[in-house]
């Protein structure tokens, strides 16, 4: 029999990968075959096309629905296998980080297990260099990990290279920028020490300002992170205010919807209330005063209060 030969294993893995790509029903068909998921996990260590087909199939299974993600999570040695395979190339970074993110979302115990897996966090950080899609998935996985508790936020921040990797990946724009801004925003919710770590990372404040240029999650995440940084101390409020393009970006983000608008307004207010020079700085930016007034006139129930406060301080 051909069973067990390298060529047979590679061809079988590729066939399963293609079948799982047809639709959700075929994904379930593959996943529910007894022994299929463990076999795919074991094949991750084979190298070459076998590894590629295996992590591709596992990612498709994990992303289809929570029940299938739990099936992947239950496979023996799945975490070490995915972590090891993640570093084998840019496609591996995309698929393996996506699979990790999905199984963590499906199983509340898995963020801790990923953190405790040797090399787990460093692998996610390194995989962010694999391009926009890889950075998007890795940042989402890091957000899931940090959402498990303050201790996990600290573990991510303390992982060598984590903050620079997030900042660097924001330059890719799109979903990567939005998710990386979300990861930085999550970190700034972890207390003054983590806020300081984010603020002191070269390029972080500029990257958060740039993230506000998009009408979507990036604008909200950028504005909220900057707000959290600005309210920690007068020194940090001054640093936020002095980032080139900061106040114009906040004024522009106020047009993007309730969440981004409110975070932007509150960030302006945080700077304006710190000291008169920062209030003057906000007032002198073209469009800032008119944006605050316009939001007071046409905003939601929560808009007038921070807008009023900012205008009084100015």
């Amino acid at each position: 029999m051909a069973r067990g030969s390298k060529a047979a294993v590679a061809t079988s893995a590729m066939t399963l990968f293609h079948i799982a790509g047809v639709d959700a029903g075929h994904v379930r068909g593959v996943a529910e075959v007894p022994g299929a998921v463990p076999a795919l996990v074991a094949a991750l260590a084979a190298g070459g096309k076998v590894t590629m087909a295996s992590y591709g199939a596992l990612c498709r299974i994990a992303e289809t629905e929570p029940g299938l993600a739990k099936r992947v999570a239950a496979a023996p040695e799945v975490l070490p296998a995915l972590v090891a395979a993640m570093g084998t190339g840019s496609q591996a970074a995309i698929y393996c980080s996506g699979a990790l993110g999905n199984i963590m979302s499906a199983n509340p115990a898995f963020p801790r297990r990923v953190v405790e897996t040797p090399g787990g966090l460093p692998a996610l950080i390194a995989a962010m260099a694999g391009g926009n899609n890889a950075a998007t998935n890795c940042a989402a996985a890091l957000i899931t990990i940090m959402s498990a508790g303050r201790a996990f936020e600290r573990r991510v921040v303390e992982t060598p290279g984590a903050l620079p990797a997030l900042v660097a990946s924001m330059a890719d724009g799109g979903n990567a920028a939005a998710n990386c801004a979300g990861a930085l925003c999550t970190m700034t919710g972890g207390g003054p020490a983590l806020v300081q770590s984010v603020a002191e990372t070269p390029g972080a404040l500029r990257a958060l300002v740039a993230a506000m240029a998009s009408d979507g999650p990036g604008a909200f995440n950028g504005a909220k992170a900057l707000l959290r940084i600005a309210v920690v101390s007068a020194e940090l409020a001054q640093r936020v205010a002095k980032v080139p393009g900061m106040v114009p970006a906040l004024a522009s983000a106020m047009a993007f919807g309730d969440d981004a608008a409110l975070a932007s307004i509150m960030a302006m207010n945080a700077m304006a209330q710190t000291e008169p020079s920062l209030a003057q700085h906000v007032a002198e930016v073209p469009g800032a005063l008119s944006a605050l007034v316009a939001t007071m006139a046409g905003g939601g129930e929560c808009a007038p209060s921070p807008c009023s406060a900012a205008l009084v301080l100015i």
Side-chain angles (χ1 to χ4, degrees):
M1 267 180 88
R3 179 185 178 188
S5 72
K6 189 172 182 178
V9 171
T11 304
S12 296
M14 288 297 297
T15 304
L16 289 173
F17 169 68
H18 290 305
I19 292 172
V22 174
D23 55 31
H26 284 79
V27 173
R28 293 188 199 95
V30 170
E32 291 173 358
V33 174
V37 171
L40 288 167
V41 171
L44 287 171
K49 292 183 178 179
V50 180
T51 296
M52 293 173 60
S54 298
Y55 61 60
L58 288 169
C59 182
R60 285 177 172 173
I61 292 169
E63 72 184 5
T64 298
E65 59 186 46
L68 295 184
K70 290 178 180 178
R71 188 181 290 265
V72 175
E77 301 300 314
V78 63
L79 290 183
L82 285 171
V83 167
M86 202 181 311
T88 60
S90 59
Q91 287 297 313
I94 295 169
Y95 281 113
C96 294
S97 60
L100 280 176
N102 282 305
I103 62 178
M104 284 193 293
S105 297
N107 190 328
F110 258 66
R112 177 183 295 277
R113 290 182 57 185
V114 170
V115 170
E116 293 175 348
T117 298
L121 283 177
L124 281 170
I125 302 306
M128 294 186 71
N132 194 289
N133 289 335
T136 298
N137 289 346
C138 290
L142 292 174
I143 291 171
T144 301
I145 290 170
M146 290 188 288
S147 298
R150 292 290 172 86
F152 296 95
E153 291 174 355
R154 290 193 294 272
R155 288 288 295 273
V156 172
V157 172
E158 292 168 359
T159 301
L163 285 167
L166 287 167
V167 172
S169 294
M170 290 176 71
D172 292 337
N175 291 331
N179 281 6
C180 290
L184 293 176
C185 182
T186 301
M187 291 172 181
T188 59
L194 297 191
V195 167
Q196 196 77 35
S197 295
V198 172
E200 291 178 352
T201 300
L205 296 181
R206 287 176 180 265
L208 288 169
V209 171
M212 288 191 293
S214 63
D215 182 3
F220 171 67
N221 290 331
K224 187 174 181 180
L226 292 166
L227 166 64
R228 286 172 166 175
I229 293 169
V231 299
V232 167
S233 67
E235 177 189 358
L236 286 179
Q238 290 171 345
R239 289 180 61 180
V240 168
K242 292 177 181 177
V243 176
M246 170 65 67
V247 179
L250 289 171
S252 296
M254 288 167 62
F256 287 157
D258 290 343
D259 289 340
L262 183 56
S264 300
I265 294 163
M266 294 180 71
M268 279 194 189
N269 183 50
M271 290 185 285
Q273 72 182 356
T274 300
E275 57 180 59
S277 65
L278 294 187
Q280 181 179 352
H281 176 64
V282 171
E284 290 175 349
V285 171
L289 294 179
S290 59
L292 289 167
V293 172
T295 305
M296 286 186 67
E301 295 179 359
C302 57
S305 177
C307 286
S308 303
L311 287 170
V312 167
L313 290 162
I314 292 168

